[in-house]
């Protein structure tokens, strides 16, 4: 393969919502151009790319798999991806290896939640998308729309998808869920739709050729260019002019034989747009002719004759009208030609694609240290340039990216090599002799040539070539055993592969966990990490039924962790093996793989472990947000604790942070970890924050925090300008005093420095802390600003050496206070779950020992209670937890955004299921032109287990649900509620008869699971036992 061959390569993935027809479309493309691996008669029924038993049984795709297609003189690597929310990590792996994406949208169901997710994924990975509107036949047969109504529907879908893309382009998009909530409510009226002139910047424009209209099941499809070429001779117009006119409000005037706008047709005429008249109406006529019993069959003959279709008479005489229709349509408008010609025309080849994708794959690094090896930098730059140019010469450095590892049974590997020699797949050392599974790397070559037997370096995401030997653990040298071209389930051995190809590589199973960069030189930056749309939230503890099988389970978990790009295997603090999956379907597949493939032992699976967070009830901030801040600055409302030796008094005040600010800290946890951890900005490009490459992440974070504060002020209906400014100034003052964040130094809880301007009346010294985090985040201009007089002994009445030694001790105890804060925020008082959205001010005063004349005695006294720094840490932790308990604590639970589709007659049962699971319905709306209702709701994660199954059971399988993790929300109920007023006692009863509320039940369940004490009555009614039988 030379330079010209790389130009004839295309790498595409198929992305869409679940059940929108990805695998069926892939079947038709494989049947037409896959080299005979699939008969055209079976296309759409076989689902060739779903070769796992579980995929065929459930009829959904569960992993991304690749196949090589030959179309004309092009080689197309097609990657089919799942549409189910649980497997969206596989979408990320497919998108990273592709240059273009076919985004499928069901013409009846329209844009769904996963469509938003895959469009965003393609945008992040800088793919070139093409839109495929599938299931056009359902508009004719199911909904029975007229061509004009169908055109309006298609116009709306194209417009909606363009709206999503333009929102991403302008970087103003909200989170996926919010954009959906804001979207469908502003429906466009049909009369306005015709006048929507396509914006030149729209991503998808049928007249540009990047939109195809298909019916994958019947095997036909077209783009506007095909009809333009056909009508060009008939109407005597140029094909290019027709192509522009066949979409949008353009009309054909038969009298003047001119293409005109709406005004040119006159007001009274019932004219139809050219797309309706010349494209949709012929399609509708063919469908009616074939499927309606009393229709005119001459239309079919006319189509066959005018297009010179060679259809065998045997197919036309078939008794099944659907079969006749399929044969006519698939000969007239072949699906594979329409889609693949669009791919060849619109999707860039690897050479041009990598030139604009390189900024995402290998972002430019800012080198902050001056004393770096220039030769290393030169070579790393050369590697980046060869990736940018997709250099496929043998001299270029070989660079590849492995997006996932996948397990293949050894018996499925090819028995013969690329030259026909017989291979022994069982003998070699890398095959993990004791296992029947062989791990292959799913990789794309970005530069140079890879060949079997080559030695390459495996670089993890943390590797830094400038650090030399200190990062040895992030780099390994391995030998590639064999390369395969993937053909769905089949593998075709190849001796070598050049840049631009997607291959499976054997021999890396022991060296790569999830993903990695392969390079022939050690002086290469690793590729940026992949972005996943969701995180694994469903956690279960697993153990073998027979404890003797523990070794097999551990080995199976290691293999599963390597084989699944998204699963997380951890050991909890209680020693359980915890498996984290994306959802119930994903978890079921992981458990099935463990029991049948990897561990081969029977397992006990615990009920799901749900994560909660703890917070306090916010004051009613809408009335006066300033009051809340005043609480932190000098109120007497604090909790006081003293260390056992009496030398340190800790006072803690706590306040709830505004929700908007908490969200920013929550979303930017990875970014904060990099900034506060002191890493240079080169590692920041892997973070998930939606930051443009040129922006400084610290500036972006500051801007987001200030925006959040402003939003909070305006949400409180503050109209008074002075008050707003006062409030902003107050917040800026507080942001200059951030001492630490927690838990784990990056969480959504803040520790503020105490206000040391207040004078002390006794001999104690205040531990002031330093605005370490504020300096890192750029809220403090220079490092001395926040801590200008830290060394002066303000506020103490002591003088001389005693004062200075006390100050030194105070400085040394700063870390103890931060550690106490971290411990408290990592495990709150309700049920040892992390705290969320709280601000603490910790004032710790140290006083000198009473009678500090006798030095040995003082040492002896301090040792009596343990090390002093430990005492301070414990006192701070207890004080923080006590302060939270005092301020009306609340439990915070994770919420799913839930999208439900159901027919009208099953709305009642669906609402019953939602009500049983504490769901909150947001909105419901009728889907236009169909009998379905779409309902959006929030559902607590703790109530979501078994929800889809129960929903299907109650609605006889008619309703479907999709869950996406949305946000955290505090439960309004007080877990320690006791009825006091007469009304409350009347409603809830008094004393022992008060039932525990939802919050209390959840807290008790978590406490039981963790082995913490639970307040509950073991005996409800302790009456004396009496026997009714008589002793004779």
């Amino acid at each position: 393969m030379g330079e010209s061959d790389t130009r004839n390569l295309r790498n595409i993935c198929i992305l869409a919502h679940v059940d929108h027809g990805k695998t069926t479309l892939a079947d038709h493309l494989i049947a037409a151009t896959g080299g005979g691996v699939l008969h055209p008669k079976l296309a759409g029924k076989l689902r060739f790319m779903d070769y796992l038993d579980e995929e065929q049984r459930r009829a959904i795709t569960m992993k991304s798999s690749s196949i090589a297609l030959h179309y004309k003189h092009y080689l197309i690597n097609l990657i089919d991806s799942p549409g189910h929310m649980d497997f969206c990590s596989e979408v990320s792996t497919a998108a990273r290896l592709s240059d273009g994406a076919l985004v499928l949208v069901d013409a009846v169901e329209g844009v769904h939640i996963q469509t938003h997710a895959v469009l965003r994924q393609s945008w992040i990975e800088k793919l070139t998308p093409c839109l495929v509107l599938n299931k056009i036949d359902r508009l004719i047969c199911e909904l029975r729309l007229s061509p004009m109504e169908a055109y309006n529907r298609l116009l709306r879908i194209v417009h909606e998808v363009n709206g999503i893309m333009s929102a991403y382009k302008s970087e103003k998009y909200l989170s996926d869920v919010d954009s959906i909530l804001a979207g469908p409510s502003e429906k466009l009226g049909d009369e306005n739709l015709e006048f929507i002139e396509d914006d030149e910047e729209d991503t998808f424009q049928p007249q540009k050729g990047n939109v195809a209209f298909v019916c994958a099941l019947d095997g036909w499809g077209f783009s506007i260019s095909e009809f333009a070429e056909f009508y060009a001779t008939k109407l005597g117009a140029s094909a290019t002019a027709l192509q522009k006119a066949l979409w949008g409000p353009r009309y054909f005037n038969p009298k003047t034989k001119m293409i005109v706008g709406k005004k040119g047709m006159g007001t009274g005429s019932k004219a139809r747009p050219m797309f309706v008249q010349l494209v949709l109406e012929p399609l509708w006529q063919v469908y009616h002719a074939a499927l309606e019993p009393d229709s005119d069959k001459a239309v079919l003959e006319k189509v066959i004759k005018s297009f010179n279709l060679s259809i065998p008479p045997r197919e036309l005489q078939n008794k099944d009208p659907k079969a006749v229709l399929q044969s006519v349509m698939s000969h007239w408008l072949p699906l594979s030609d329409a889609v693949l010609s669009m791919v060849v025309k619109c999707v860039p080849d690897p050479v041009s694609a990598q030139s604009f994708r390189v900024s995402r794959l290998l972002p430019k690094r800012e080198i902050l240290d001056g004393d770096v090896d220039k030769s290393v930098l030169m070579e790393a730059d050369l590697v980046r340039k060869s990736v940018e140019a997709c250099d496929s010469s043998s001299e270029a450095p070989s660079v590849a990216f492995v997006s996932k590892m996948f397990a293949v049974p050894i018996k499925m590997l090819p028995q013969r090599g690329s030259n026909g020699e017989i291979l022994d797949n069982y003998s070699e050392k890398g095959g993990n002799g004791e296992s029947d599974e062989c791990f292959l790397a799913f990789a794309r070559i970005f530069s140079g040539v890879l060949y079997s037997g080559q030695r390459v370096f495996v670089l993890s995401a943390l590797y830094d070539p400038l650090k030399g030997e200190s990062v040895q653990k992030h780099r390994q040298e391995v030998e590639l055993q064999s390369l395969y071209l993937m053909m769905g389930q089949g593998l075709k051995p190849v001796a070598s592969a050049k840049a631009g190809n997607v291959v499976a590589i054997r021999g890396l199973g022991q060296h790569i966990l999830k993903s990695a960069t392969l390079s022939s030189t050690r002086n290469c930056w690793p590729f940026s990490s992949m972005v996943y749309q969701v995180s694994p939230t469903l956690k279960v503890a697993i153990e073998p039924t027979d404890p003797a099988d523990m070794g097999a389970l551990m080995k199976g978990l290691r293999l599963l962790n390597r084989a699944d790009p998204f699963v997380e295997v951890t050991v909890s603090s209680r020693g359980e093996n915890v498996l984290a999956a994306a959802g119930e379907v994903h978890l079921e597949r992981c458990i099935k793989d463990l029991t049948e493939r990897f561990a081969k032992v029977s397992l006990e699976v615990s009920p799901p472990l749900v994560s909660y967070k703890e917070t306090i009830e916010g004051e009613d901030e809408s009335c006066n947000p300033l009051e809340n801040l005043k609480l932190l600055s000098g109120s007497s409302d604090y909790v006081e604790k003293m260390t056992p030796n009496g030398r340190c008094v800790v006072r803690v005040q706590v306040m709830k942070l505004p929700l908007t600010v908490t969200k920013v800290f929550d979303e930017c946890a990875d970014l904060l970890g990099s900034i506060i951890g002191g890493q240079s900005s080169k590692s920041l490009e892997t973070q998930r924050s939606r930051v443009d490459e040129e922006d400084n992440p610290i500036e972006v974070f500051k801007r987001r925090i200030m925006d959040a504060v402003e939003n909070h002020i305006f949400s409180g209906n503050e109209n008074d300008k002075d008050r707003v400014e006062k409030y902003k100034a107050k917040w800026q003052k507080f942001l200059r005093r951030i001492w630490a964040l927690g838990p784990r130094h990056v969480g959504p809880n803040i520790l503020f420095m105490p206000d040391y301007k207040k004078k002390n009346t006794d001999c104690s010294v205040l531990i002031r802390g330093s605005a370490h985090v504020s300096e890192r985040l750029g809220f403090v201009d220079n490092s001395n600003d926040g801590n200008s007089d830290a060394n002066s002994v303000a506020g103490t009445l002591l003088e001389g050496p005693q004062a200075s030694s006390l100050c030194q001790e105070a400085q040394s105890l700063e870390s103890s206070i931060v550690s106490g804060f971290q411990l408290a925020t990592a495990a709150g008082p309700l049920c040892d779950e992390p705290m969320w959205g709280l601000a603490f001010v910790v004032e710790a005063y140290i006083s000198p020992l009473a009678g500090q004349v006798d030095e040995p005695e003082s040492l002896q006294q301090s040792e009596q209670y343990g090390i002093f720094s430990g005492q301070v840490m414990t006192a701070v932790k207890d004080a923080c937890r006590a302060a939270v308990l005092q301020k009306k604590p609340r439990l915070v639970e994770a919420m799913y955004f839930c999208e439900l589709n159901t027919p009208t007659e099953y709305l009642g049962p669906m609402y019953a299921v939602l009500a049983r699971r504490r769901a909150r319905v947001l909105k419901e709306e009728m889907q236009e032109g169909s009998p379905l209702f779409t309902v959006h709701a929030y559902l607590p994660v703790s109530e979501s287990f078994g929800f889809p199954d129960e929903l299907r059971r109650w609605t006889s399988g008619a309703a479907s649900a999709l869950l996406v993790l949305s946000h955290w929300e505090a439960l309004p109920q007080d877990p320690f509620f006791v009825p006091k007023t007469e009304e409350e006692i009347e409603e809830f009863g008094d004393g022992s008869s008060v039932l525990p509320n939802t919050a209390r039940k959840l807290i008790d369940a978590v406490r039981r699971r963790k082995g913490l004490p639970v307040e509950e009555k073991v005996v409800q009614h302790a009456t004396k036992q009496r026997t009714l039988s008589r002793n004779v």
Side-chain angles (χ1 to χ4, degrees), residues 459-491:
L459 314 176
S460 81
L462 298 173
Y463 177 69
D464 185 344
L466 301 175
K467 289 192 179 154
E469 294 311 306
S470 63
V471 286
Q472 187 76 42
K473 62 172 188 256
H474 299 309
R475 183 189 76 222
Q476 307 165 56
E477 193 174 3
V478 294
E479 184 182 323
L480 306 179
Q481 281 165 11
S482 33
L483 299 177
Y484 302 104
L485 196 62
M486 286 175 281
M487 297 295 293
Q489 187 174 15
L491 296 163

Side-chain angles (χ1 to χ4, degrees), residues 280-329:
L280 294 184
E281 286 183 0
L283 282 178
W284 259 241
Q285 285 163 6
V286 170
Y287 260 81
H288 288 313
L291 299 179
E292 300 291 332
D294 52 350
S295 59
D296 183 12
K297 300 290 180 217
V299 176
L300 294 180
E301 301 294 334
K302 192 176 166 189
V303 167
I304 293 165
K305 199 170 168 190
S306 56
F307 286 98
N308 297 327
L309 305 180
S310 53
I311 303 173
R314 180 170 52 96
E315 288 187 9
L316 285 173
Q317 286 152 14
N318 195 319
K319 289 283 185 286
D320 180 11
K322 191 80 175 159
V324 176
L325 176 73
Q326 281 179 353
S327 62
V328 171
M329 293 300 290

Side-chain angles (χ1 to χ4, degrees), residues 218-449:
D218 291 350
W220 59 267
F222 64 90
S223 57
I224 279 179
S225 55
E226 283 152 42
F227 276 94
E229 282 161 24
F230 167 63
Y231 282 118
T233 49
K234 268 191 142 187
L235 303 176
S238 72
T240 47
L242 267 175
Q243 187 162 335
K244 282 182 185 163
L246 271 175
W247 183 259
R250 309 283 189 285
Y251 299 81
F252 181 68
N253 190 335
K255 292 175 190 153
T256 57
K257 299 245 170 153
M258 298 277 283
I259 296 168
V260 292
K262 176 83 173 169
K263 288 176 183 154
M265 291 304 290
T267 46
S269 65
K270 278 280 178 191
R272 285 118 41 227
M274 288 177 69
F275 183 75
V276 176
Q277 191 180 353
L278 304 181
V279 178
L280 294 184
E281 286 183 0
L283 282 178
W284 259 241
Q285 285 163 6
V286 170
Y287 260 81
H288 288 313
L291 299 179
E292 300 291 332
D294 52 350
S295 59
D296 183 12
K297 300 290 180 217
V299 176
L300 294 180
E301 301 294 334
K302 192 176 166 189
V303 167
I304 293 165
K305 199 170 168 190
S306 56
F307 286 98
N308 297 327
L309 305 180
S310 53
I311 303 173
R314 180 170 52 96
E315 288 187 9
L316 285 173
Q317 286 152 14
N318 195 319
K319 289 283 185 286
D320 180 11
K322 191 80 175 159
V324 176
L325 176 73
Q326 281 179 353
S327 62
V328 171
M329 293 300 290
S330 57
H331 282 82
W332 176 28
L333 302 166
L335 174 67
S336 56
D337 282 358
V339 173
L340 294 178
S341 62
M342 174 171 78
V343 165
V344 166
K345 192 174 120 202
C346 300
V347 174
D349 56 74
V351 180
S352 44
Q354 283 177 209
S355 64
F356 64 81
R357 283 190 73 204
V358 74
S359 59
R360 162 75 190 135
L361 302 169
L362 281 168
K364 276 220 183 315
R365 313 285 173 143
E366 289 178 28
I367 309 304
L368 303 176
D369 317 339
D371 53 337
V372 291
D373 189 344
K374 290 284 184 285
S375 62
V376 173
L377 273 181
M378 293 275 288
E379 192 169 357
D381 212 43
L382 173 75
V383 170
R384 191 176 190 275
K385 284 197 172 77
S386 53
V387 168
E388 192 170 354
C390 188
D391 191 342
S392 56
S393 61
S394 49
E395 297 80 47
S398 309
V399 181
F401 182 75
V402 175
S403 69
K404 69 166 183 170
M405 303 297 291
F406 63 103
V408 174
I410 289 186
K411 60 178 183 287
M412 296 297 293
L413 291 176
Q415 303 300 310
R416 292 181 180 274
S418 50
N419 300 323
E421 73 278 13
I422 293 177
L423 303 172
D424 180 6
N425 289 322
Y426 289 89
S427 63
E428 94 299 325
K429 56 193 179 303
N432 202 355
E434 74 277 7
S435 167
D436 300 336
E437 303 288 335
C438 169
F439 281 92
L440 301 180
F442 192 45
R444 154 95 181 255
I445 306 166
F446 283 95
S447 160
V449 183

Side-chain angles (χ1 to χ4, degrees), residues 808-821:
Q808 281 173 358
E809 191 174 11
Q811 278 183 314
S812 68
L813 287 171
E814 285 179 7
S815 60
S816 303
I817 289 183
V818 173
S819 302
F821 164 74

Side-chain angles (χ1 to χ4, degrees), residues 364-668:
K364 276 220 183 315
R365 313 285 173 143
E366 289 178 28
I367 309 304
L368 303 176
D369 317 339
D371 53 337
V372 291
D373 189 344
K374 290 284 184 285
S375 62
V376 173
L377 273 181
M378 293 275 288
E379 192 169 357
D381 212 43
L382 173 75
V383 170
R384 191 176 190 275
K385 284 197 172 77
S386 53
V387 168
E388 192 170 354
C390 188
D391 191 342
S392 56
S393 61
S394 49
E395 297 80 47
S398 309
V399 181
F401 182 75
V402 175
S403 69
K404 69 166 183 170
M405 303 297 291
F406 63 103
V408 174
I410 289 186
K411 60 178 183 287
M412 296 297 293
L413 291 176
Q415 303 300 310
R416 292 181 180 274
S418 50
N419 300 323
E421 73 278 13
I422 293 177
L423 303 172
D424 180 6
N425 289 322
Y426 289 89
S427 63
E428 94 299 325
K429 56 193 179 303
N432 202 355
E434 74 277 7
S435 167
D436 300 336
E437 303 288 335
C438 169
F439 281 92
L440 301 180
F442 192 45
R444 154 95 181 255
I445 306 166
F446 283 95
S447 160
V449 183
L450 284 188
Y451 51 87
S452 46
Q454 180 179 4
R455 292 196 73 76
V456 296
F457 292 102
V458 174
L459 314 176
S460 81
L462 298 173
Y463 177 69
D464 185 344
L466 301 175
K467 289 192 179 154
E469 294 311 306
S470 63
V471 286
Q472 187 76 42
K473 62 172 188 256
H474 299 309
R475 183 189 76 222
Q476 307 165 56
E477 193 174 3
V478 294
E479 184 182 323
L480 306 179
Q481 281 165 11
S482 33
L483 299 177
Y484 302 104
L485 196 62
M486 286 175 281
M487 297 295 293
Q489 187 174 15
L491 296 163
K492 193 167 147 193
V494 288
S496 66
K498 295 200 172 187
N501 275 295
V502 176
V503 290
I505 307 172
R506 184 174 182 202
L508 300 170
Q510 302 295 308
H511 306 281
I512 297 179
L513 184 60
K514 307 276 190 194
S515 63
T517 308
L518 305 181
S519 168
S520 56
T521 163
R522 67 183 66 193
N523 298 330
C524 167
W525 292 105
F527 278 48
S528 61
S529 306
M530 288 184 293
V531 172
Y532 293 130
Q533 300 282 332
V534 296
S535 55
T537 48
L538 180 57
K539 296 177 182 170
V540 291
I542 49 175
E543 58 185 28
T545 314
D546 179 0
D549 294 330
M550 197 64 196
L553 174 64
M554 296 308 290
K555 193 191 89 184
L557 282 173
R558 275 198 301 275
L559 293 176
L560 176 71
N561 198 20
R562 202 177 296 152
D564 193 308
F566 205 49
V567 77
E568 279 180 13
V569 178
T570 50
V571 178
S572 75
S573 53
R574 293 173 58 207
E576 300 164 313
N577 290 303
V578 175
L579 191 72
E584 284 186 83
V585 182
H586 186 208
L587 179 69
E588 281 170 31
R589 197 198 72 182
C590 291
I591 300 294
K592 196 168 191 290
D593 280 354
L594 268 179
T595 47
E596 293 177 11
R597 286 177 71 184
F598 299 131
K600 296 185 178 165
V601 294
S602 64
L603 301 174
E604 294 289 324
V605 182
S606 76
L609 316 175
V610 185
S611 299
Y612 294 98
K613 294 187 178 183
E614 299 180 19
T615 189
I616 59 174
E617 186 180 50
E619 310 300 324
D620 188 11
E621 289 161 18
S622 56
C623 54
N624 191 353
L626 258 176
E627 291 305 313
N628 216 356
L629 281 180
K630 282 180 186 163
L631 290 177
L632 276 191
S633 44
S635 81
S636 57
D637 186 16
Y638 55 75
V639 169
E640 189 169 288
K641 292 270 180 194
M642 189 180 282
T643 53
N645 65 4
R647 281 197 57 205
C648 182
V649 176
V650 177
R651 291 177 185 167
V652 173
Q653 289 161 261
V654 63
M655 172 192 101
K656 188 171 183 183
L657 287 174
L659 199 59
T660 46
V661 176
T662 308
K663 272 187 175 168
V664 173
F665 276 104
D666 233 354
E667 286 166 12
C668 299

